[in-house]
Amino acid sequence: AVLHKLERFAIHSLALSSLLSGLSSRTAEEAVINAFMEARKTTPAVLYLPQLELWWENAHTQLRVLLLMLVADLPSNLPILLLATSHASSDELDTRVVGLFGKEVYDLGLPTPSDRRNFFSQLVEDVLHFILRKHDKTKKLECFPELTRVPKKAREPSEAELQAQADSEEHALRCLRMCLRDVCNRILYEKCFSPLHFPVEKDNRDYHSIIKNPMDVSTLLERVDNKQYLTLSAFLQDLELIPVNAKVYHGNDYKGSRIVSKANALRDAAHGM
């Protein structure tokens, strides 16, 4: 019940089961030290030591001395509560461990039959009252008329919000251009893609009579610099024209197969960047 009231505070357990099962500590001593360190970091905090009589009985001498020293080193003004429970009375416990709590030791006796009756009688009355209300079909619920909802008015964005949105969009486009520009420049540095770096000369009437929408890497870079790409998909569509045009122009020609292969490799390299 006390821990339930203190659940909004950080609670660190010093139970033997917690100390021996901790994966982050090699020994019980390290686990105890870690618990005290975490309690200091997360103040106000609670150090909870259940079944104190069993803990003290089964802990070895070094672990007992460590607990006494760590508690003694806690500053008096530090908001840390050391809470322990024991099935044995304070007279049956070791005087050293009882001394940790000073005068703050409370012996609670077992509830009497009268205490149990008073506690459970209220619960029984509440349950019966709930059941009777649920099955009382004669009682009608009072119906209230449904109120008309006030329609929500759409709020116009302020100038500051519009400006912030515009700045955010411009920043996103700027980052996109930087990325696409880097892709184009890296491809331009690759000599193996040199046949695809620049446009086919206009004198090549045969090529331009077949390919109606030519594309190359330098044209892609020029469009990036001119802010023509507002989305990544638009850039990828133009990039796809390079292998498509190579396949259309060269077809199944053996000599042109190398250009088609380089165009496909260029597309894959750009996607990989």
Side-chain angles (χ1 to χ4, degrees):
V2 175
L3 291 178
H4 178 71
K5 292 292 184 181
L6 300 175
E7 63 180 356
R8 63 191 182 94
F9 301 111
I11 300 177
H12 306 276
S13 176
L14 295 175
L16 280 177
S17 58
S18 300
L19 301 180
L20 298 178
S21 63
L23 299 178
S24 60
S25 303
R26 295 182 179 178
T27 63
E29 289 84 351
E30 292 178 346
V32 171
I33 294 174
N34 288 337
F36 273 81
M37 292 177 59
E38 291 298 323
R40 285 174 174 263
K41 295 177 182 178
T42 59
T43 55
V46 179
L47 287 167
Y48 178 51
L49 205 164
Q51 298 180 320
L52 180 59
E53 76 285 0
L54 295 178
W55 195 100
W56 192 260
E57 179 182 348
N58 291 280
H60 53 78
T61 304
Q62 185 177 357
L63 187 58
R64 294 178 182 178
V65 173
L66 178 63
L67 177 65
L68 297 175
M69 293 177 59
L70 290 174
V71 174
D73 290 341
L74 290 176
S76 58
N77 61 345
L78 194 65
I80 294 180
L81 172 64
L82 178 60
L83 177 64
T85 59
S86 172
H87 292 291
S89 64
S90 57
D91 296 334
E92 299 173 352
L93 295 174
D94 192 300
T95 55
R96 291 175 296 173
V97 69
V98 175
L100 293 176
F101 304 93
K103 298 180 180 179
E104 304 297 329
V105 178
Y106 302 94
D107 290 321
L108 301 178
L110 295 175
T112 63
S114 177
D115 294 334
R116 293 190 178 95
R117 189 179 303 107
N118 293 333
F119 177 79
F120 287 104
S121 62
Q122 184 62 45
L123 292 178
V124 174
E125 290 180 6
D126 291 340
V127 172
L128 291 176
H129 181 67
F130 174 78
I131 295 175
L132 292 175
R133 286 187 58 188
K134 183 177 180 181
H135 293 280
D136 187 7
K137 298 180 180 180
T138 60
K139 186 176 180 181
K140 297 182 179 180
L141 297 177
E142 184 179 358
C143 296
F144 295 94
E146 185 176 355
L147 299 177
T148 305
R149 295 185 179 181
V150 179
K152 295 183 179 180
K153 295 182 179 179
R155 186 179 66 87
E156 295 292 335
S158 63
E159 293 184 4
E161 292 174 340
L162 292 175
Q163 184 61 39
Q165 182 180 0
D167 293 342
S168 176
E169 292 175 354
E170 179 59 31
H171 176 71
L173 291 175
R174 188 183 305 112
C175 292
L176 176 63
R177 290 195 299 271
M178 293 172 61
C179 179
L180 299 181
R181 189 178 293 113
D182 179 66
V183 171
C184 293
N185 285 326
R186 289 170 65 179
I187 294 176
L188 287 172
Y189 285 133
E190 295 289 341
K191 294 183 179 180
C192 60
F193 299 135
S194 57
L196 305 168
H197 284 171
F198 302 101
V200 177
E201 297 179 356
K202 295 182 180 181
D203 296 340
N204 191 340
R205 296 182 179 180
D206 179 57
Y207 180 85
H208 291 285
S209 64
I210 299 175
I211 303 302
K212 302 301 181 182
N213 193 9
M215 185 56 58
D216 57 273
V217 181
S218 62
T219 301
L220 287 172
L221 180 59
E222 181 181 359
R223 293 186 178 183
V224 170
D225 292 335
N226 291 336
K227 302 180 180 180
Q228 292 183 236
Y229 295 121
L230 301 181
T231 61
L232 176 61
S233 60
F235 175 82
L236 295 179
Q237 288 178 2
D238 283 354
L239 176 68
E240 187 66 23
L241 289 174
I242 296 178
V244 169
N245 291 343
K247 181 64 177 177
V248 171
Y249 181 72
H250 294 284
N252 297 324
D253 180 50
Y254 176 76
K255 295 182 179 180
S257 61
R258 296 185 60 186
I259 300 298
V260 176
S261 177
K262 288 184 178 181
N264 289 322
L266 184 150
R267 176 193 56 196
D268 294 339
H271 280 277
M273 296 178 187

